[in-house]
Amino acid sequence: MSGQDHGRAEEVVTAFIGAFGKADYGRMGGLLADDVESYVTNAEGGSTLLRGRDAYMAAIASVDYRSVGPRIEITQMLSVKPDQVLVMVEIRAERKGRKLHNFAAFLMDVREGKIRTMRMVEALPAYSDAFWKD
């Protein structure tokens, strides 16, 4: 992979996180491969595998991100390989009288301008789950 492709993976990840912060679901979905595998943190601190763009976007749509308008900022990004990016994000949100301040890391494999695999971990999985679902 060329240096240009290397930077492209970071651009795709940055665009995805930006779209997430704006609840731009069309843009988010457009950056995911049809057959993306997403390992999403669950309340127990494990992960749930979502297979395919439709499954991931359905999970996103089931949460009230758009009306909450969370602030999501990239705090650090590291290219592990030319097509693999590790990114740390900070999330702040307020909802129903509660506040969320959390950090999550994503390891994303990007090929041909699409996210192919996404692995997620977060600092406060149980609290985050309750914050978004309650």
Side-chain angles (χ1 to χ4, degrees):
M1 194 173 253
S2 72
Q4 185 177 1
D5 292 335
H6 179 77
R8 179 72 176 131
E10 290 185 359
E11 288 174 14
V12 168
V13 170
T14 299
F16 182 80
I17 299 298
F20 193 101
K22 294 175 184 170
D24 184 345
Y25 300 152
R27 177 79 171 130
M28 286 176 68
L31 293 166
L32 297 173
D34 290 340
D35 60 348
V36 65
E37 289 189 347
S38 305
Y39 297 84
V40 180
T41 302
N42 58 37
E44 295 77 32
S47 65
T48 301
L49 173 59
L50 301 175
R51 293 185 186 272
R53 176 184 356 188
D54 292 343
Y56 183 82
M57 293 309 299
I60 292 297
S62 73
V63 179
D64 193 20
Y65 294 115
R66 187 168 279 139
S67 69
V68 173
R71 290 184 324 196
I72 302 173
E73 296 179 32
I74 294 174
T75 63
Q76 188 175 6
M77 184 178 294
L78 172 69
S79 289
V80 179
K81 299 177 191 173
D83 63 351
Q84 189 176 65
V85 177
L86 177 62
V87 62
M88 176 69 72
V89 298
E90 180 177 19
I91 303 113
R92 293 178 189 263
E94 292 185 33
R95 176 176 189 264
K96 297 182 179 180
R98 297 173 71 188
K99 292 184 180 185
L100 173 71
H101 182 207
N102 199 5
F103 292 88
F106 297 85
L107 180 63
M108 298 188 195
D109 297 317
V110 179
R111 286 181 208 85
E112 300 174 2
K114 302 283 185 181
I115 298 167
R116 302 288 177 178
T117 308
M118 182 174 11
R119 297 167 188 91
M120 173 192 182
V121 296
E122 65 178 294
L124 304 169
Y127 184 78
S128 179
D129 186 71
F131 177 85
W132 292 109
K133 289 184 177 175
D134 291 346

